[in-house]
Amino acid sequence: MSRRAATLTVASVLVLVLGMVGALLPVPYVALMPGPTSDTLGTDDKGVPLVRIDGQRTYPTDGHLNFTTVTYRGGPGGRIDLLTALRGWVEGDVAIVPEETVFPKGESQQKVDEENTRQMRDSQESAEAAALNELKIPIRNQVQVDSVQKGKPAEGRLKPGDEIVSVDGAPATSVSDVTGRVTRRKPGDPVTIGYRRDGKDGKVTLTTVPAPTDAKRPVVGIVLADRFKFPFKIDISVGDVGGPSAGLMFALAIYDKLTPENLTGGKFIAGTGTITPKGEVGPIGGIQQKMIAARRAGAAVFLTPAGNCKDALAARPDGLRLVRADTLKSAIESINVLNGAKGTIPSCENR
């Protein structure tokens, strides 16, 4: 073999080896894929209803109201390799996204999982409140300290589980009410917070500090959550699923179980969307993968938050009708129209 041929052979082998090694190097991307869907009107694999109501009359249901999920591969604890990322970019049901869109910088996978669990818990409570508000069933709202941030003014002064009852003497009626009153001040201003702990009332005056992401916004270092006192017990059981995006479907299931009419009319309806206690539906992530999961499960109708309509239209699977859901009320009305009631159904095309 000539020297030139030998050199080319060695170079080719080196390029091949380097290419193979490079393809197996971890990259800071996450692969999002269609996840399982679950019928909020049905039961889990142990026969336990996903939504169970005790202490209030319920009615038989039919059809499906499925919430959808997204699974992922990658993350700080186990990054995907370049080859997997490249393969995902050409597959129609996989989205390859930068790692920080799922795992914010500086946060571990455990921290993200804990936050997703908290969001799921909050979304369930918001769904319960939204359904009961829609049914005009009275509930009582509490503003509760969910966590206290280290190094902030509230550390050692307020505790998780404290009920916030007032801000500078004005009653605290909701999280937005409390945060609004605090943020109307300037960093360095004092704020007096009334709280209830273990049945006893107390007050604490804190000096606000600038928010880490906005020096003009004052904070005291507490994460708040709306908590509600319901007149009867509602249990939602979904295993280890996290995040807030099933709120709309939980609320619809609760509404359906508490009303004598069969909401779905036997139809297979799936959907997604966050929900507020007032019934407002918000956008979510992974809409493409969730639609694919819904269609594979058998859904013909997909309830879509208005903020996701553009992306949903661009990736809608064949045979799946997109119904725009702005509020719990509008979603219920749209389903009723699908079942023959008079009215129009808002779509993503005319958002």
Side-chain angles (χ1 to χ4, degrees):
M1 181 183 295
S2 68
R3 180 174 295 182
R4 182 182 179 190
T7 300
L8 288 173
T9 300
V10 172
S12 298
V13 171
L14 286 174
V15 169
L16 179 61
V17 171
L18 288 173
M20 293 176 65
V21 172
L24 298 177
L25 288 176
V27 292
Y29 287 89
V30 174
L32 303 180
M33 299 162 288
T37 74
S38 298
D39 182 13
T40 57
L41 298 178
T43 60
D44 62 16
D45 55 5
K46 297 179 180 179
V48 177
L50 267 66
V51 176
R52 187 173 63 221
I53 300 172
D54 296 317
Q56 182 76 359
R57 182 179 179 182
T58 58
Y59 300 87
T61 59
D62 195 5
H64 290 256
L65 287 171
N66 280 45
F67 74 85
T68 51
T69 64
V70 173
T71 60
Y72 69 84
R73 289 181 61 190
R79 285 179 168 171
I80 60 175
D81 55 48
L82 179 60
L83 186 60
T84 300
L86 292 173
R87 188 166 58 244
W89 269 311
V90 299
E91 293 178 355
D93 61 349
V94 179
I96 303 297
V97 300
E99 190 175 82
E100 59 265 23
T101 63
V102 180
F103 300 93
K105 289 184 178 180
E107 290 193 5
S108 65
Q109 188 160 339
Q110 179 182 354
K111 182 76 172 179
V112 171
D113 290 343
E114 290 174 353
E115 175 62 15
N116 284 336
T117 299
R118 185 191 67 80
Q119 289 180 344
M120 170 59 81
R121 184 189 67 227
D122 290 348
S123 76
Q124 291 174 358
E125 191 157 1
S126 292
E128 296 167 15
L132 268 58
N133 281 330
E134 182 64 28
L135 291 166
K136 304 295 188 292
I137 297 174
I139 59 177
R140 188 168 74 86
N141 182 51
Q142 293 180 341
V143 181
Q144 194 175 92
V145 176
D146 195 66
S147 62
V148 179
Q149 298 169 342
K150 291 184 178 180
K152 294 294 190 293
E155 184 180 14
R157 311 290 298 281
L158 293 171
K159 296 181 178 180
D162 286 350
E163 179 188 353
I164 304 301
V165 296
S166 66
V167 178
D168 286 337
T173 59
S174 67
V175 169
S176 58
D177 177 43
V178 173
T179 56
R181 292 181 185 279
V182 173
T183 55
R184 281 198 289 267
R185 288 156 181 75
K186 296 179 181 179
D189 288 347
V191 59
T192 299
I193 295 177
Y195 63 91
R196 183 171 296 122
R197 181 186 301 161
D198 298 329
K200 297 180 180 180
D201 291 338
K203 287 184 179 180
V204 59
T205 299
L206 305 173
T207 301
T208 60
V209 296
T213 57
D214 183 357
K216 294 182 179 180
R217 184 167 65 89
V219 297
V220 295
I222 52 176
V223 177
L224 300 174
D226 283 312
R227 295 286 179 255
F228 302 94
K229 293 294 184 180
F230 299 112
F232 47 86
K233 188 175 182 180
I234 303 174
D235 281 328
I236 299 176
S237 176
V238 292
D240 60 357
V241 177
S245 64
L248 171 61
M249 304 313 292
F250 289 146
L252 287 168
I254 296 166
Y255 177 92
D256 195 7
K257 287 175 176 282
L258 290 173
T259 51
E261 297 82 10
N262 182 359
L263 179 62
T264 69
K267 293 180 174 59
F268 195 134
I269 298 170
T272 189
T274 64
I275 199 160
T276 69
K278 294 181 179 179
E280 300 156 333
V281 177
I284 50 79
I287 188 69
Q288 296 93 334
Q289 287 68 44
K290 290 179 178 179
M291 290 190 301
I292 292 170
R295 189 65 186 125
R296 286 177 179 173
V301 176
F302 193 82
L303 300 174
T304 311
N308 291 118
C309 273
K310 182 179 179 180
D311 290 338
L313 285 170
R316 172 175 47 186
D318 292 338
L320 191 66
R321 179 175 183 175
L322 302 184
V323 173
R324 194 182 78 235
D326 300 316
T327 63
L328 173 61
K329 184 179 184 66
S330 74
I332 293 169
E333 291 173 345
S334 293
I335 295 172
N336 287 335
V337 174
L338 286 171
N339 290 328
K342 292 182 178 180
T344 58
I345 298 175
S347 68
C348 279
E349 287 88 346
N350 59 14
R351 67 185 188 284

